[in-house]
């Protein structure tokens, strides 16, 4: 399954977002930094969901 990443000029910087996912986006002043920020957002979301799964296992 492939997921697209869209990078658009936004004011003085760039906005990167993952297609089909409303809350997966990042802003920075260069395209490279925007992609790095988006990677961080995705990692944070993955970590959050893994914590939720682990919490449910304990209960």
């Amino acid at each position: 399954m492939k997921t697209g990443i869209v990078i658009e000029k936004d004011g003085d910087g760039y906005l990167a977002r993952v297609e089909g996912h409303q809350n997966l986006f990042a802003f920075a002043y260069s395209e490279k930094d925007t992609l790095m920020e988006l990677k961080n957002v995705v990692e944070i979301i993955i970590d959050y969901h893994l914590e939720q799964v682990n919490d449910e296992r304990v209960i």
Side-chain angles (χ1 to χ4, degrees), residues 7-29:
I7 301 174
E8 300 171 323
K9 184 79 171 142
D10 186 43
D12 292 334
Y14 295 88
L15 182 69
R17 61 183 171 83
V18 178
E19 288 182 324
H21 297 276
Q22 283 183 318
N23 296 323
L24 295 179
F25 61 90
F27 176 86
Y29 291 103

Side-chain angles (χ1 to χ4, degrees), residues 4-47:
I5 295 174
V6 178
I7 301 174
E8 300 171 323
K9 184 79 171 142
D10 186 43
D12 292 334
Y14 295 88
L15 182 69
R17 61 183 171 83
V18 178
E19 288 182 324
H21 297 276
Q22 283 183 318
N23 296 323
L24 295 179
F25 61 90
F27 176 86
Y29 291 103
S30 73
E31 290 184 53
K32 181 181 177 182
D33 288 343
T34 302
L35 284 174
M36 289 172 43
E37 289 296 323
L38 183 60
K39 178 182 176 272
N40 291 336
V41 168
V42 170
E43 288 175 350
I44 290 167
I45 296 296
I46 289 171
D47 288 345

